[in-house]
Amino acid sequence: MILDSRSPAEDRIIEYDVLIAGAGPAGITLALELRDLGLRIGLLESGGEDFDPDTQFLNDGTVTGHSDGVDLAAIRLRMLGGATNHWGGRCVPMDRIDFERAPLSGLTGWPVSYDAMQPYYGRAHSYFDIGPAHFDPLQIGGITQDDLLLADAEDLRTVVVRESTLQYGPAYRDALDRARDIDLWLWSNVVALETDADGAVSAVQTQALEGPSRRFTARFVVLACGAVENARQLLVQNADNETRLGNAGGFVGQCYMDHPAAGAAFLWPNEPVPPSPYWDLPEDSDGTRVHLLWAPTEEAMARDGLANIQYYLRPFDEVENLRVRQANSGWYALRNMAKWVLGRDRDEIVLSDAYCGAINNADVMAGDLLGLIGRDEPTHRILLLYEAEQQPTRDNAVTLSEERDALGQLRADLNWAPSDADRDSILATTTLIGQAVGAQGFGRLEFEDHFEEPYWGSYTSWHQMGTTRMATNPEDGVTDPDGRVHGSPNLYMAGGSVMPTGGRANPTLTIVALTIRLADHLKQRLAA
């Protein structure tokens, strides 16, 4: 059932078995996994079914370090479905090495094994409508060994990313509305967690931007609000109540990770390369579009101490360069329109110019989004775009600002600064590709020239992870391996915030797999 928190509130406490804050992929998945068990489930969403700029602005905060392109007011959406309302749909599991190897920065790694995660990845596929768990390129319908570029390279492999077209809000809205055991409260912002002496959450206070406050109780409370907001909520809770929930090791808010991304190098083949499935977005036999990428082998990563990185191959001939610039201009204009709607930089942005820039380049933007630019002709130059694992470090962190939002809550400050070690791993891995290109007689590699720029020209992938990292020992993280906050018997974290490392993979499939695992854990506790 869908409820509106802006409606008048009765003077009573609303009781649930499980209360979930955040109706993005983690929160919605958890609610649906727990339905039809005779439980009462509350699901709180800050926004509504559509975008609302006033609600969205509650995300705002300051960014230091690599602040270019990182806008906390835009990077996550406060509306039903969360970030899936503006995601690229790319789904891929993390690699075995991600679970078995500790971070190169010296912190603890995953307390969950690769093999233990596999059933949950399989179950997560059904939520995204992406067909079977085929991530071997030769399992993809129509792909043969002859289609694979540098297939015999010792240190290089072709990997698969499956693409979902599903947005969680529209996809699961009716299921949530029909569920008699789920109450979805829209326009409901968590403003306080009341805790007992033993760290148990005894009540959750919420406030609508334009409406009353409410008070909820539950046997178990789960924060599924995204990595920045999960950390902010716990920091506020600890500050307001002079507690250290989850903070025995000082890790609350720390180890924020993203996937730095940019162009790494140009590949100049000796012979023009005909249209390739690496940029032609083939469909698997079930109709799911897939991306073929390059990544270093796990053996090479272990041997050379390299981070996990994936590379998109994009045809980049001179005639395409113009279309790429046009597409980038359109995306820049669209970003300015969004910033203007949020009330940011209005003195610098001319809305009519931004609107015209987006409209005039809409066709090439669509082609860029669909991967159609340059797909029909042989290419003489290929751009390698990396998305790189970032090592967790304590200085990349969410802290509390002195500024307050419209609800009187302290805003978040984020410091995000990919390190020289992250850069060096990208350079070393790209060098391996260059060596393979030469050894195979395929062509030559030309490094991009931006590695002397601040943060080597990289930008954010908008993949927020790590701020309430899981660890077996309280001194090494914020939650235990099940997502329960150390020091609390009934407060849990869900989503990318619990991930101790990020690997190369787009995180949403892992987030949903972890959430299904959390649901199974809660079922056992609820039955006890």
Side-chain angles (χ1 to χ4, degrees):
M1 175 167 49
I2 297 179
L3 303 167
D4 191 330
S5 283
R6 298 171 299 184
S7 61
E10 300 178 20
D11 187 18
R12 66 182 179 91
I13 295 176
I14 305 168
E15 299 179 355
Y16 291 107
D17 292 297
V18 180
L19 183 67
I20 306 161
I28 290 175
T29 298
L30 184 57
L32 294 177
E33 285 287 316
L34 295 176
R35 66 179 165 175
D36 300 330
L37 298 176
L39 305 172
R40 293 201 66 211
I41 304 160
L43 179 59
L44 309 177
E45 170 52 48
S46 172
E49 295 185 48
D50 299 309
F51 180 84
D52 175 68
D54 291 334
T55 302
Q56 183 65 23
F57 198 61
L58 294 172
N59 273 353
D60 196 32
T62 54
V63 181
T64 56
H66 188 15
S67 59
D68 185 29
V70 183
D71 189 334
L72 292 181
I75 206 167
R76 282 294 177 267
L77 294 178
R78 286 183 179 242
M79 58 186 292
L80 184 63
T84 64
N85 289 288
H86 66 182
W87 74 320
R90 294 170 186 175
C91 298
V92 59
M94 297 179 71
D95 294 316
R96 180 179 290 275
I97 193 172
D98 299 323
F99 291 95
E100 295 184 347
R101 180 175 67 170
L104 301 175
S105 56
L107 300 178
T108 57
W110 284 82
V112 183
S113 72
Y114 173 85
D115 291 331
M117 283 296 299
Q118 296 317 295
Y120 300 108
Y121 275 125
R123 288 166 62 182
H125 270 240
S126 63
Y127 280 93
F128 295 105
D129 192 25
I130 53 173
H134 290 169
F135 292 95
D136 180 337
L138 297 181
Q139 289 181 303
I140 305 301
I143 301 297
T144 69
Q145 186 75 18
D146 292 338
D147 293 314
L148 303 184
L149 301 178
L150 301 186
D152 297 327
E154 181 179 355
D155 294 329
L156 191 64
R157 59 188 169 133
T158 293
V159 296
V160 171
V161 173
R162 303 181 75 86
E163 183 174 300
S164 174
T165 59
L166 183 143
Q167 293 177 311
Y168 251 69
Y172 295 113
R173 185 257 184 214
D174 290 346
L176 294 169
D177 194 28
R178 289 193 304 267
R180 296 301 92 189
D181 50 358
I182 300 175
D183 288 343
L184 168 60
W185 290 90
L186 300 177
W187 310 106
S188 191
N189 301 284
V190 173
V191 293
L193 303 175
E194 302 175 22
T195 56
D196 295 337
D198 64 353
V201 177
S202 56
V204 176
Q205 298 177 25
T206 68
Q207 177 70 54
L209 263 180
E210 297 180 1
S213 60
R214 283 181 167 80
R215 200 157 168 261
F216 299 87
T217 63
R219 293 171 62 185
F220 300 103
V221 174
V222 181
L223 297 185
C225 308
V228 171
E229 184 65 9
N230 275 1
R232 189 186 73 88
Q233 287 286 351
L234 202 50
L235 289 167
V236 168
Q237 150 67 30
N238 284 338
D240 288 348
N241 295 279
E242 297 183 352
T243 57
R244 289 183 58 81
L245 280 181
N247 214 24
F251 277 102
V252 173
Q254 296 184 351
C255 298
Y256 177 92
M257 296 173 291
D258 201 326
H259 286 123
F266 288 106
L267 195 166
W268 294 86
N270 291 332
E271 301 291 338
V273 179
S276 168
Y278 286 84
W279 50 84
D280 199 29
L281 294 182
E283 289 187 355
D284 200 357
S285 55
D286 66 293
T288 302
R289 293 199 314 178
V290 300
H291 300 257
L292 299 188
L293 289 73
W294 278 343
T297 64
E298 297 194 33
E299 293 77 11
M301 285 186 273
R303 181 193 68 215
D304 297 342
L306 301 175
N308 205 345
I309 304 171
Q310 59 188 22
Y311 293 82
Y312 288 86
L313 282 66
R314 299 291 297 272
F316 204 83
D317 288 330
E318 291 304 320
V319 65
E320 292 303 326
N321 199 358
L322 173 61
R323 297 180 69 195
V324 170
R325 290 199 303 271
Q326 289 172 332
N328 289 340
S329 177
W331 293 122
Y332 182 80
L334 197 62
R335 186 188 73 171
N336 280 346
M337 289 174 63
K339 292 176 71 173
W340 192 92
V341 169
L342 291 170
R344 307 172 75 82
D345 300 337
R346 286 194 172 184
D347 292 339
E348 303 174 16
I349 296 170
V350 179
L351 182 60
S352 59
D353 290 348
Y355 177 81
C356 290
I359 293 299
N360 289 339
N361 294 299
D363 56 340
V364 288
M365 291 165 64
D368 183 44
L369 185 65
L370 296 173
L372 300 179
I373 292 181
R375 63 181 280 182
D376 295 327
E377 300 292 335
T379 185
H380 299 77
R381 181 166 60 151
I382 300 169
L383 175 64
L384 299 184
L385 295 168
Y386 67 81
E387 286 184 349
E389 177 181 17
Q390 180 184 3
Q391 297 304 312
T393 59
R394 301 185 73 130
D395 57 322
N396 286 302
V398 175
T399 56
L400 294 178
S401 166
E402 295 182 357
E403 297 183 5
R404 295 184 181 270
D405 62 22
L407 296 171
Q409 302 288 292
L410 292 174
R411 293 192 182 276
D413 279 341
L414 170 65
N415 182 67
W416 181 54
S419 69
D420 288 347
D422 295 322
R423 175 205 60 199
D424 292 345
S425 196
I426 296 166
L427 287 167
T429 305
T430 308
T431 298
L432 284 182
I433 295 177
Q435 292 169 346
V437 167
Q440 298 285 316
F442 188 80
R444 63 182 178 87
L445 208 68
E446 174 194 1
F447 272 96
E448 281 268 45
D449 60 3
H450 57 222
F451 283 93
E452 298 303 321
E453 298 174 9
Y455 304 105
W456 10 282
S458 70
Y459 49 86
T460 171
S461 296
W462 288 19
H463 298 163
Q464 298 184 337
M465 300 170 285
T467 57
T468 63
R469 68 194 320 262
M470 62 168 63
T472 302
N473 298 316
E475 294 78 12
D476 296 323
V478 177
T479 79
D480 71 9
D482 294 313
R484 181 183 59 82
V485 173
H486 288 299
S488 175
N490 73 334
L491 176 61
Y492 286 80
M493 297 285 164
S497 69
V498 304
M499 295 170 62
T501 66
R504 65 173 174 87
N506 304 62
T508 309
L509 185 67
T510 298
I511 286 170
V512 169
L514 287 169
T515 302
I516 296 171
R517 181 175 176 272
L518 171 59
D520 284 358
H521 166 79
L522 289 175
K523 290 173 189 177
Q524 293 179 351
R525 290 202 66 188
L526 288 160

